[in-house]
Amino acid sequence: MEYLTDRITLDERICNGKPSIRGKRTAVQTILGFLCAGEAAEEILHQYPSLEKEDITACLQFAAELMNRSYVLRTVA
């Protein structure tokens, strides 16, 4: 398992290798999707009782950090 932050992990055996929260079977993408849909952090925590408020914050920080990277668009044949 690789730690991307203190709360975000990568493990090819969990969530098909997608970033997850503390090695649990909850993908960062899932939490971000709930937040994008307008779900309140408190409701997400109710639905996922093993998570902590800091986990949700870590998901947002992780997504923000990804936006700090440079990207190149290429034409694919």
Side-chain angles (χ1 to χ4, degrees):
M1 182 175 341
E2 182 178 337
Y3 289 83
L4 301 176
T5 72
D6 61 333
R7 292 185 176 265
I8 307 299
T9 55
L10 273 181
D11 186 330
E12 63 186 23
R13 300 166 295 166
I14 299 173
C15 296
N16 294 317
K18 292 183 179 182
S20 64
I21 300 169
R22 294 185 285 127
K24 299 177 183 292
R25 297 193 179 280
T26 305
V28 169
Q29 180 181 5
T30 300
I31 301 306
L32 293 174
F34 279 122
L35 292 170
C36 287
E39 201 76 43
E42 292 75 20
E43 182 59 30
I44 296 169
L45 294 173
H46 179 72
Q47 293 175 32
Y48 293 85
S50 67
L51 298 184
E52 301 169 353
K53 187 169 177 84
E54 293 82 6
D55 295 325
I56 294 173
T57 301
C59 290
L60 291 169
Q61 290 172 331
F62 179 71
E65 182 58 35
L66 285 178
M67 294 300 100
N68 276 333
R69 299 177 185 254
S70 297
Y71 298 92
V72 176
L73 296 176
R74 295 185 182 147
T75 303
V76 178

